[in-house]
């Protein structure tokens, strides 16, 4: 009888690192600490209704979003899990206005971590899937202390990116530039086990994901593109199905597996000042790295997300991401406006 190989996330990370000459194991430790934080957040998300961590803190964050208690919990959990390992020199979170330094008592490492601790948190009270997104860079400054410049990067400089989706099961998906791999948490043993090896996104899907309630604020290209997707033409697979959860991680994860396109275009009500919503460093760049590794594409409509140099920690961008052919079609519509 053939034995099924059980691969834990730890084993997988170690084996991936062995492929890199001169690897020190530092990176393995970093991802391992992150997986541990994800398991703890998963446990809290799953018992959220019982643990008095639902609801609002009464505060708004730097983006003007209402802060949920679980956002704060997840943010603190990641900071505390990652600060002492000696792998990081600095962190930045969607929930913190400034960069997060590593406390003096802990050794400093060569990596930079950026994260969205809880994505889609406005959904949590209704038991809808939420997620965590992370992105890792190598430090680039050489002074004694790491600085904000270590966080203001171009997506192509990422050494790893991933997300955790807290859904009907908890999954962690990551890339280090050698394909995209997915692990499902087996709660009975508390381990992430390899369940989706070398994920490839279909080159064309049948799903589009966008907040249609904002349609009146879109640019003309996006309006025309969504109208195009709704036309009946079986030869090109139209009409597409609309699927929108409102949790980027969950919408992205579904489209990664099934194929499709997710769009969050800028608000063009003032055409001179388009206002995007999603954050470059914590949301767009990490998912762009993953989708490209899976054979897909991510752009603003006119520029590759991975090529954008961040100039501000909380910079926002339009995001169009998913199956390659679908994103290319969108870009044609966008460029004609
Ligand atoms: P976050 O919960 O981290 O602030 O992110 C929310 C984001 C993203 O998850 C989702 O795709 C989008 O906001 C939904 O926005 P709308 O409610 O405007 O559709
Ligand atoms: Mn988010
Ligand atoms: Mn968030």
């Amino acid at each position: 009888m053939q034995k099924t190989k059980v691969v834990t996330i730890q084993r997988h990370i170690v084996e991936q690192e062995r492929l890199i000459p001169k690897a020190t194991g530092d990176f393995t430790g970093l991802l391992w600490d992150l997986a541990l934080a994800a398991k703890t957040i998963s446990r809290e998300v799953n018992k959220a209704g019982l643990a008095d961590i639902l609801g609002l803190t009464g505060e708004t964050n730097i983006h003007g979003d209402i802060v949920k208690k679980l956002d704060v919990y997840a943010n603190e959990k990641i900071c505390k899990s990652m600060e002492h390992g000696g792998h990081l020199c600095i962190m930045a979170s969607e929930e913190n206005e400034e960069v997060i330094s590593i406390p003096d008592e802990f050794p400093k490492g060569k990596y930079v971590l950026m994260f969205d601790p809880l994505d889609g948190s406005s959904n949590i009270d209704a038991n809808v899937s939420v997620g965590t997104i992370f992105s890792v860079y190598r430090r680039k400054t050489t002074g004694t202390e790491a600085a904000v410049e270590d966080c203001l990067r171009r997506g192509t400089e990422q050494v790893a990116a991933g997300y955790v989706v807290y859904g009907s099961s908890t999954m962690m998906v990551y890339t280090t530039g050698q394909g995209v791999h997915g692990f499902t948490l087996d709660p009975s043993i508390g381990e992430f086990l390899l369940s989706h090896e070398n994920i490839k996104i279909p080159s064309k899907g049948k799903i589009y994901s966008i907040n249609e309630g904002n349609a009146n604020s879109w640019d003309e290209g996006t309006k025309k593109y969504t109208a195009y997707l709704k036309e009946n033409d079986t030869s090109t697979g139209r009409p597409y199905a609309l699927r929108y959860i409102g949790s980027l991680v969950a919408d992205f994860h579904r489209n990664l597996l099934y194929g499709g396109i997710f769009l969050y275009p800028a608000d063009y009500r003032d055409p001179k000042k388009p206002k995007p919503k999603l954050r470059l460093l914590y949301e767009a760049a990490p998912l762009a790295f993953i989708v490209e590794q899976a054979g897909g594409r991510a752009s603003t409509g006119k520029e590759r997300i991975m090529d954008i140099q961040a100039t501000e920690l909380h910079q926002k961008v339009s995001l169009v991401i998913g199956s390659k052919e679908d994103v290319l079609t969108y870009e044609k519509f966008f460029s004609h406006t």
Side-chain angles (χ1 to χ4, degrees):
M1 201 169 96
Q2 205 191 345
K3 270 194 185 164
T4 314
K5 188 170 133 189
V6 177
V7 179
T8 63
I9 197 162
Q10 188 183 23
R11 173 171 168 188
H12 196 266
I13 296 166
V14 170
E15 288 179 356
Q16 290 270 302
E17 188 159 42
R18 277 193 202 128
L19 300 174
I20 304 166
K22 292 197 215 144
T24 58
D26 209 15
F27 192 61
T28 303
L30 191 167
L31 286 175
W32 178 237
D33 286 350
L34 260 173
L36 185 60
K39 285 192 244 180
T40 318
I41 297 169
S42 174
R43 188 192 62 199
E44 294 305 307
V45 166
N46 283 317
K47 67 174 191 197
L50 301 169
D52 191 31
I53 50 173
L54 289 180
L56 314 175
T57 61
E59 293 161 20
T60 40
N61 70 12
I62 43 165
H63 308 283
D65 304 331
I66 297 164
V67 177
K68 299 266 175 167
K69 289 185 198 170
L70 218 76
D71 280 320
V72 175
Y73 175 85
N75 197 37
E76 283 171 6
K77 179 48 67 187
I78 296 175
C79 289
K80 293 287 163 220
S81 309
M82 303 308 297
E83 66 185 9
H84 58 82
H87 313 298
L88 298 177
C89 56
I90 200 163
M91 293 185 263
S93 160
E94 183 206 88
E95 295 295 333
N96 294 61
E97 191 157 2
E98 309 288 343
V99 291
I100 305 162
S101 309
I102 305 299
D104 287 342
E105 66 257 45
F106 300 124
K108 312 290 178 290
K110 57 178 180 278
Y111 294 108
V112 175
L113 175 69
M114 283 185 268
F115 57 94
D116 177 354
L118 207 63
D119 172 73
S121 57
S122 66
N123 285 319
I124 189 121
D125 292 3
N127 258 327
V128 174
S129 299
V130 290
T132 296
I133 310 174
F134 63 88
S135 171
V136 182
Y137 293 80
R138 233 175 240 109
R139 182 179 175 184
K140 72 169 186 188
T141 60
T142 51
T144 42
E145 296 288 323
V148 67
E149 291 73 48
D150 291 305
C151 299
L152 299 179
R153 308 294 285 272
R154 201 183 292 272
T156 48
E157 294 176 275
Q158 289 174 98
V159 292
Y163 62 84
V164 185
V165 57
Y166 311 101
S168 46
S169 52
T170 294
M171 266 195 80
M172 185 161 173
V173 174
Y174 85 97
T175 185
T176 54
Q178 291 156 346
V180 179
H181 309 287
F183 300 79
T184 302
L185 182 62
D186 179 341
S188 64
I189 56 167
E191 287 279 10
F192 280 107
L193 303 179
L194 182 62
S195 52
H196 297 64
E197 194 169 17
N198 205 13
I199 299 171
K200 291 290 171 205
I201 185 168
S203 61
K204 185 176 175 321
K206 273 195 62 82
I207 291 173
Y208 75 111
S209 314
I210 190 167
N211 184 341
E212 286 258 10
N214 294 333
N216 284 333
S217 316
W218 295 338
D219 57 278
E220 287 308 307
T222 304
K223 287 179 187 165
K224 284 183 191 147
Y225 176 70
T226 50
Y228 164 83
L229 293 181
K230 290 176 207 171
E231 288 168 8
N232 292 322
D233 178 9
T234 42
S235 69
T236 50
R238 292 175 293 151
Y240 274 34
L242 170 63
R243 297 280 182 272
Y244 190 71
I245 297 169
S247 284
L248 173 60
V249 167
D251 279 309
F252 176 82
H253 182 66
R254 181 202 52 238
N255 292 1
L256 182 70
L257 297 181
Y258 297 170
I261 182 167
F262 173 95
L263 309 99
Y264 211 114
D267 180 323
Y268 272 82
R269 269 174 289 180
D270 178 353
K272 288 195 203 91
K273 275 197 204 148
K275 282 200 187 80
K277 170 168 182 175
L278 297 178
R279 299 82 173 179
L280 174 62
L281 290 170
Y282 318 109
E283 295 173 321
L287 297 186
F289 187 18
I290 293 168
V291 88
E292 287 194 4
Q293 281 292 314
R297 189 171 173 96
S299 83
T300 61
K302 59 174 189 229
E303 191 178 9
R304 180 184 174 216
I305 295 286
M306 291 279 277
D307 283 336
I308 302 173
Q309 166 68 52
T311 51
E312 285 170 48
L313 216 42
H314 297 289
Q315 189 168 336
K316 295 177 174 182
V317 283
S318 298
L319 177 64
V320 181
I321 189 164
S323 294
K324 193 178 246 167
E325 282 184 37
D326 290 310
V327 176
L328 282 168
T329 305
Y330 174 82
E331 287 169 2
K332 282 188 203 133
F333 276 89
F334 190 77
S335 63
H336 288 148
T337 59

